[in-house]
Amino acid sequence: MEIREGLRYTKDHEWLRQEGDEVVIGITDYAQEQLSDIVFVELPEPGATLQAGDAFGSVEAVKAVADLYAPISGEVTAVNDAVADDPAIVNRSPYEDGWMVRAQAADAGEVESLLSAADYRALLEELGEASE
Amino acid sequence: MRRTPLYETHKRNGGKMVPFAGWEMPVQFPTGIVQEHLTVRRAAGLFDVSHMGRIEFRGSGALDYVNYLITNDLRKIGPGQLLYSALCNEEGGIIDDVTVYHLGDAALLVANAANAETVLSWARSHKPEAVTIEDRTAELAQLALQGPRAEAMLGSPFAEAVRDVGYYEYTWVSWKDARILTSRNGYTGEDGFEIYVPSELAVPLADRLMQWGERIGVAPAGLGARDSLRMEVNYALYGNELSQTITPLEAGLRWVVKLKKEDFIGKSALVRQKSEGVPRKLIGFAVEGKRLPRHGHPIRIGGQEVGVVTSGGYCPSLERGMGMGYVPPDQTAVGTELEIDARGTRLPARIVERPFYKDGSVKR
């Protein structure tokens, strides 16, 4: 299972990558592996408001459904239509092609308060799931 | 936790092992449930169903006794045939749904894993002296090979032996000095076989089937695909559509209830229910949108809660969310609009014809 260096994480297993003054948000490799077989992804429209900690979409897998929680507050600037069309992309490439939304962060400080890769690894170890 | 003879084989194939009815079983292999499902529809999949209960009835009157336990009629078939049936309590509630093999002067009853102990003790508590009941679950493994290429995958000597074996028929195949019961039936809507092999031969047989099968695109498949495959063709699952408080008449299993045969347990209750009418009926529905219905979600019609989803999820061959559930008997018409309450989100749905998936290779 992969935990990417340089990304920020949440305890709900989302990741966030800073790109210029925007952020990109997706779900972690651990999340996609737990869900397995993702068949539908429901995402907001561009322009939608993200509220840190609130659900902004959902991921339906064969076995279970999971809400997507916003790591930060802000405004959605783009959504990944490719994962809406072919949700299995999230299983194949959670950190690259399987990103969910781009957003403009309302408060840069919020990004800093998220988990680091090391923090997230420690969280997974607590769950007894970290490997490699 | 019990393990089947194929436990190590599953681990080696990357099976994700989960507890199921007291057994450690593979829910999926690395390619995932959707791929396994589609592989079974296109080629074939090999399932380990050794967790099911295999119960043999022997002795004088064994067949009559089994016939007294089940709702279908064992007298309508002979050696070389099997049938599907409900096994009911006195109130007509379903204790289990089973397949029964007519072995001439004996019968092999195959029960769901979760119900095997219940069925065993039920059968033992009602039995006449002369009938012997033997639990053969540990000594026999049970493989299910399902898909349009299943027959091609069997290889020699099985393929030759089953060529003239029809749907719900079986034959004995000689292999490695053993007689191996092989029947044409299944739980997927595809052509296929169930193979009852002595436990010590389970691994060599599975290995051989996979060696043959890999060349024609066959893969091991787990419980996850077994569930999505059976839901897509609307086969009932015990614990979902079937329970001790649901009768076969409510569950759409009227075709396995033979009310004209001699007495059987549950008969008077079922005769009464047939004349009075059922309080609910099983329906199939399709949902709109990108949320899936799940077991336990309430079903509403016109804002009123009228029933509950018994099975729900994604149908990989149809690429949409579908489900089954119980509604009042006067609201079962195809086209009826429903709402499924998915944890507060109302999913628009509509009653559709069954089976959902109609293109299976099963040879009826």
Side-chain angles (χ1 to χ4, degrees):
Chain A
M1 180 195 324
E2 187 186 3
I3 298 169
R4 287 250 167 128
E5 296 302 324
L7 302 185
R8 292 290 182 164
Y9 294 89
T10 72
K11 60 175 178 31
D12 299 312
H13 311 287
E14 283 89 16
W15 57 260
L16 177 148
R17 180 166 59 230
Q18 190 92 45
E19 285 188 5
D21 57 356
E22 286 190 339
V23 297
V24 182
I25 296 166
I27 66 169
T28 66
D29 193 26
Y30 170 81
Q32 74 74 21
E33 198 175 292
Q34 288 294 302
L35 284 164
S36 164
D37 285 292
I38 296 168
V39 293
F40 292 126
V41 177
E42 215 172 27
L43 296 174
E45 298 290 330
T49 303
L50 298 182
Q51 184 66 46
D54 285 1
F56 68 93
S58 65
V59 175
E60 284 275 6
V62 170
K63 284 183 291 186
V65 61
D67 283 325
L68 294 167
Y69 295 101
I72 51 131
S73 302
E75 187 185 318
V76 175
T77 55
V79 302
N80 187 355
D81 292 328
V83 301
D85 293 342
D86 180 11
I89 292 172
V90 182
N91 288 122
R92 289 196 298 269
S93 177
Y95 296 115
E96 297 288 344
D97 299 343
W99 63 277
M100 301 283 175
V101 296
R102 272 179 177 277
Q104 191 86 47
D107 171 4
E110 271 184 353
V111 174
E112 294 308 310
S113 68
L114 296 172
L115 305 178
S116 68
D119 297 336
Y120 185 61
R121 188 181 308 278
L123 177 79
L124 293 193
E125 271 162 18
E126 261 174 56
L127 295 171
E129 290 287 350
S131 58
E132 293 169 54
Chain B
M1 201 73 70
R2 296 175 75 177
R3 291 177 176 179
T4 78
L6 292 174
Y7 176 83
E8 292 299 335
T9 305
H10 300 321
K11 294 278 275 192
R12 200 172 62 241
N13 288 332
K16 185 171 177 184
M17 307 305 286
V18 300
F20 181 83
W23 295 76
E24 269 186 277
M25 298 300 292
V27 64
Q28 65 171 86
F29 292 89
T31 53
I33 293 169
V34 169
Q35 267 316 308
E36 288 167 32
H37 178 114
L38 297 174
T39 298
V40 170
R41 292 261 180 260
R42 269 197 310 260
L46 181 63
F47 299 84
D48 178 11
V49 289
S50 305
H51 61 305
M52 301 194 78
R54 290 166 289 283
I55 304 168
E56 192 168 314
F57 294 73
R58 277 180 296 155
S60 168
L63 292 183
D64 287 342
Y65 177 55
V66 172
N67 217 23
Y68 172 68
L69 295 176
I70 65 174
T71 60
N72 205 338
D73 193 354
L74 202 48
R75 286 167 183 267
K76 295 276 168 66
I77 65 168
Q81 295 180 295
L82 57 141
L83 53 70
Y84 174 71
S85 183
L87 186 151
C88 288
N89 58 30
E90 294 290 357
E91 292 74 44
I94 304 168
I95 292 175
D96 199 10
D97 64 322
V98 298
T99 49
V100 181
Y101 289 76
H102 192 306
L103 304 178
D105 51 3
L108 177 68
L109 182 147
V110 182
N112 281 292
N115 296 330
E117 285 304 319
T118 311
V119 170
L120 252 181
S121 57
W122 177 262
R124 283 184 173 139
S125 68
H126 292 78
K127 86 174 184 69
E129 193 111 5
V131 175
T132 325
I133 297 174
E134 197 181 343
D135 181 3
R136 302 193 62 198
T137 305
E139 98 197 43
L140 290 174
Q142 186 178 343
L143 306 183
L145 183 56
Q146 296 282 302
R149 295 193 193 164
E151 191 170 329
M153 180 186 171
L154 277 173
S156 189
F158 291 85
E160 295 86 343
V162 301
R163 196 160 294 143
D164 297 322
V165 171
Y167 190 54
Y168 271 77
E169 293 178 1
Y170 72 87
T171 190
W172 296 96
V173 184
S174 296
W175 188 66
K176 288 191 187 287
D177 297 328
R179 287 171 79 232
I180 297 171
L181 193 161
T182 306
S183 57
R184 194 186 292 268
N185 64 308
Y187 196 47
T188 61
E190 299 298 330
D191 188 24
F193 303 90
E194 294 205 351
I195 306 174
Y196 299 78
V197 60
S199 289
E200 63 275 15
L201 291 178
V203 170
L205 180 60
D207 285 352
R208 214 206 53 154
L209 290 172
M210 285 314 302
Q211 269 167 22
W212 270 84
E214 273 167 9
R215 280 182 253 162
I216 52 174
V218 176
L223 294 179
R226 188 168 156 83
D227 188 40
S228 60
L229 285 158
R230 69 93 199 164
M231 195 186 80
E232 219 169 55
V233 289
N234 302 92
Y235 291 164
L237 173 63
Y238 201 91
N240 288 30
E241 284 73 39
L242 313 179
S243 81
Q244 295 226 12
T245 57
I246 295 170
T247 74
L249 304 183
E250 296 162 25
L253 298 179
R254 174 73 185 85
W255 63 282
V256 300
V257 179
K258 307 299 182 193
L259 293 174
K260 285 181 186 147
K261 82 169 184 179
E262 286 174 35
D263 197 28
F264 63 90
I265 300 178
K267 181 177 177 181
S268 58
L270 292 170
V271 167
R272 196 178 330 118
Q273 191 183 54
K274 190 185 168 232
S275 74
E276 286 173 3
V278 294
R280 60 194 158 185
K281 270 180 133 170
L282 190 65
I283 51 98
F285 62 85
V287 297
E288 297 298 324
K290 294 190 163 189
R291 296 292 302 271
L292 295 173
R294 306 276 183 185
H295 175 79
H297 286 166
I299 298 175
R300 294 200 175 82
I301 296 179
Q304 285 287 107
E305 187 170 327
V306 295
V308 66
V309 175
T310 51
S311 291
Y314 184 68
C315 288
S317 308
L318 303 165
E319 299 186 343
R320 64 184 307 179
M322 304 187 87
M324 291 187 273
Y326 284 99
V327 299
D330 57 346
Q331 292 181 299
T332 61
V334 167
T336 303
E337 288 184 15
L338 314 174
E339 268 183 347
I340 309 302
D341 184 350
R343 299 187 311 167
T345 307
R346 303 267 177 103
L347 315 182
R350 192 180 289 271
I351 296 180
V352 297
E353 279 179 15
R354 291 173 290 160
F356 300 152
Y357 180 77
K358 299 174 175 69
D359 300 327
S361 55
V362 61
K363 289 172 180 156
R364 288 211 163 79

